[in-house]
Amino acid sequence: MPVRIGRHLRCTLVRTREADHPLRALWRRYDAYRGRFVAAVAMSTLNKVADVVPELLIGAAVDVVVRGDNSFVGEVLGVDSRFAQLGWLAVINVVVWVVESLSQYVADVLWRGLAQGVEHDLRVEAYDHVQHLDLGWHETRPAGSTLATLNDDVNQLERFLDVGAPAILQTTLNVLLVGGVFAAASGQLLVLAFLPIPLIVVGSLVFQRRLEPLYARVRTAVADLSGTLSANLSGIATIKAFTAEDRERDRVSAVSQAYREANTAAIRSSAAFVPLVRMAILGGFTCTLLLGGWATLRGELEVGLYSVLVFMTQRLLWPLTDVAEVLDLYQRGRASASRILGLLEIPVTVPAGTATLARPVRGRIELRDVRAGYGDGPDVLHGLDLVVPAGETHAIVGATGSGKSSLLRLVLRFDDPRSGQVLFDGEDVRSLDWDSLRGSMGYVAQDVFMFAGSIADNIAYGRPGATREQVRAAAEAAAALDFIEALPDGLDTWVGERGVTLSGGQRQRLALARALLRDPAVLVLDEATSAVDNETEAAIQRSLKQATARCSAIVVAHRLSTVRHAHRIWVLDAGRIVESGTHDELVARDGAYAALWRVQTGEPVGR
């Protein structure tokens, strides 16, 4: 099935009915794979038929040796010589083995291709859906838990489709084919040989109900373990700095022990099923061996047919010893499918609009009576009214927790306001598609993220088609070119994951270059120079003055010296705008801004 990248959900699952049957939901979801599934079932069926025929040939060979010219083979083929009859059986056996081998190969390719295809499509669809979930969802969910669903759960489902589903089909076919042979030979032996099967089926259902919650616990435990490991590896520097290695080892050990115990409980219940199946098999095999043998001695059953039934009983019942393993795979696959589909059912609360901005984009931003907050918590922003005219640079300042970052999240539409409007060139941002909204913006976060790759790749991330000259010009505009050229490979220098090989100031300059390369209509800077020294900050400010001459800019800053030349400065306090004006106007007003300015410049607070 072609991957529906960009579609959040190709279909809406019926929660009340299909939520209890995740594998059925997958069947309905990935209808494009049904043809491959049917072909795989057909090849497996052919393979199982060819797999059963050798037992029939053994019985026929025994019949030839015992009955001679009157054998079943002789009558069917019209061949009198027992040597010729055995020769024909050998030829048929070769053909059967060739068919069995070829059908097994084709079936394996089809089943594995099916499993890999569903695994790939489901992982990409789930990842794409996760990308479109709002930022608040990501912030409240451990990244390791999401990673466990996208990776481990998808792998568990793939294993079931690759191994478990074919095993279930093979076992079912085996029962039907062998049952047909028994029915043709002896009704009494059919009943006795098949007597263990209802017991095994009932036992399987009982164990399935017992295993389902156990494997749900396993999937939860592995998500917790993955989340803990992911978080600890991300914070390894903090762990080392606080000599917390032993404490974190013990914490990982506790989470791993919980996973181990959950698995042990599931395995113990699953493993207990095998001895019970063996006892049931023993009963069926003993009945066939004794009763069939007695019937043969009384002349009621041909020796060759008795041989077939003895072999068939083994063929019928022994594969049922794998029911426990298949059940294990089924429960793991079902639990994983439930988690994956549950992730896909999470609604996208900040969906893209359909409107586009008129070109060229002017870059006017307006907030009208905006209230906003996180989740079910109280309002963080209270009735904000703010206008950034096109081409102007406006700064947002205030104490920590005043709502500066929350305001930027609304402008970038990481969140939507609870009431009021955020307008971009007069259009409500909720009505705009992502290309018009975020595609017209350049963003530099306080916590800069770098991808594993070259410096050039990281700068060109927001504009993949940029030329080498454009990348270089953006680096120069961000005052990053000097340190880049000092590196061994310049723009081709490899940056480690999250940019750990670079200093904080270097990462900020690269992020600024990445934003400037987009030539945005609106430049959004969240503490973009907080990690650079005064000299570098001055260089960046000179570059920004040139860059913002062509665009609007919204700058959040704690360091007021970086925004003193802004066209207007908005001062937030507890989610409300308490002052606005130019730097000189606000200092002269001697209010909240002036107090902040005196604190940062070392002047006495009171005068």
Side-chain angles (χ1 to χ4, degrees), residues 6 43 52 54 79 89 109 148 151 165 196 213 216 283 286 303 320 366 413 498 506 521 541 544 566 586 594:
M43 285 296 101
V52 170
V79 178
L89 290 176
V109 170
N151 191 36
T286 301
V303 176
L320 296 178
E366 182 179 357
R413 208 181 166 224
R498 299 188 65 86
Q506 290 172 333
Q541 290 300 324
L544 283 177
L586 292 174

Side-chain angles (χ1 to χ4, degrees), residues 348-402:
V348 177
T349 57
V350 186
T354 57
T356 59
L357 287 174
R359 303 291 175 175
V361 178
R362 294 181 293 116
R364 186 179 190 275
I365 300 293
E366 182 179 357
L367 277 69
R368 292 181 181 173
D369 194 24
V370 166
R371 290 175 51 249
Y374 299 101
D376 298 327
D379 285 351
V380 175
L381 300 178
H382 309 271
L384 292 193
D385 289 296
L386 180 152
V387 177
V388 180
E392 291 191 4
T393 296
H394 283 218
I396 314 294
V397 302
T400 300
S402 60

Side-chain angles (χ1 to χ4, degrees), residues 291-564:
L291 297 180
W294 292 340
T296 302
L297 291 175
R298 291 193 301 265
E300 299 171 358
L301 193 65
E302 294 295 338
V303 176
L305 189 54
Y306 172 61
S307 302
V308 170
L309 294 181
V310 171
F311 280 110
M312 284 292 186
T313 304
Q314 182 84 349
R315 172 70 68 180
L316 168 69
L317 299 177
W318 191 251
L320 296 178
T321 59
D322 295 331
V323 167
E325 181 180 354
V326 173
L327 192 61
D328 181 272
L329 291 173
Y330 170 76
Q331 287 297 347
R332 289 177 184 268
R334 178 172 175 169
S336 293
S338 294
R339 287 171 58 85
I340 298 165
L341 294 175
L343 179 63
L344 285 168
E345 286 179 346
I346 296 172
V348 177
T349 57
V350 186
T354 57
T356 59
L357 287 174
R359 303 291 175 175
V361 178
R362 294 181 293 116
R364 186 179 190 275
I365 300 293
E366 182 179 357
L367 277 69
R368 292 181 181 173
D369 194 24
V370 166
R371 290 175 51 249
Y374 299 101
D376 298 327
D379 285 351
V380 175
L381 300 178
H382 309 271
L384 292 193
D385 289 296
L386 180 152
V387 177
V388 180
E392 291 191 4
T393 296
H394 283 218
I396 314 294
V397 302
T400 300
S402 60
K404 302 185 297 297
S405 295
S406 298
L407 189 153
L408 291 190
R409 289 165 68 102
L410 297 178
V411 171
L412 291 159
R413 208 181 166 224
F414 292 155
D415 296 315
D416 282 333
R418 291 174 175 174
S419 66
Q421 287 182 299
V422 180
L423 305 176
F424 189 177
D425 281 1
E427 298 284 345
D428 192 314
V429 294
R430 286 172 288 201
S431 69
L432 298 175
D433 62 31
W434 297 131
D435 285 338
S436 285
L437 178 61
R438 295 176 187 161
S440 301
M441 294 185 177
Y443 175 53
V444 181
Q446 183 176 1
D447 183 16
V448 174
F449 187 88
M450 292 284 123
F451 296 90
S454 70
I455 286 178
D457 291 338
N458 271 280
I459 294 176
Y461 185 76
R463 189 178 174 184
T467 65
R468 188 79 166 187
E469 292 72 20
Q470 290 171 329
V471 170
R472 185 181 179 86
E476 185 174 11
L481 193 59
D482 289 343
F483 91 80
I484 292 174
E485 290 183 336
L487 296 173
D489 298 317
L491 286 169
D492 296 318
T493 300
W494 189 262
V495 177
E497 187 175 355
R498 299 188 65 86
V500 294
T501 58
L502 301 173
S503 69
Q506 290 172 333
R507 289 197 298 271
Q508 281 195 323
R509 281 178 276 173
L510 291 182
L512 182 57
R514 182 163 60 194
L516 293 176
L517 182 59
R518 302 193 78 177
D519 194 18
V522 177
L523 187 61
V524 180
L525 307 176
D526 188 2
E527 297 289 349
T529 60
S530 61
V532 299
D533 55 41
N534 292 331
E535 184 179 351
T536 303
E537 180 191 350
I540 291 176
Q541 290 300 324
R542 288 193 295 272
S543 299
L544 283 177
K545 189 173 182 179
Q546 297 178 358
T548 54
R550 304 187 305 272
C551 69
S552 307
I554 301 177
V555 183
V556 164
H558 282 294
R559 195 185 299 177
L560 300 184
S561 60
T562 63
V563 297
R564 62 181 301 176

Side-chain angles (χ1 to χ4, degrees), residues 580-602:
S580 68
T582 65
H583 170 78
D584 292 338
E585 290 172 349
L586 292 174
V587 170
R589 194 173 298 168
D590 198 21
Y593 180 86
L596 290 173
W597 177 256
R598 289 194 293 269
V599 168
Q600 292 192 14
T601 58

Side-chain angles (χ1 to χ4, degrees), residues 73-89:
V73 174
E75 293 176 357
V76 171
L77 297 180
V79 178
D80 295 332
S81 170
R82 286 184 289 179
F83 293 96
Q85 292 175 21
L86 291 175
W88 275 106
L89 290 176

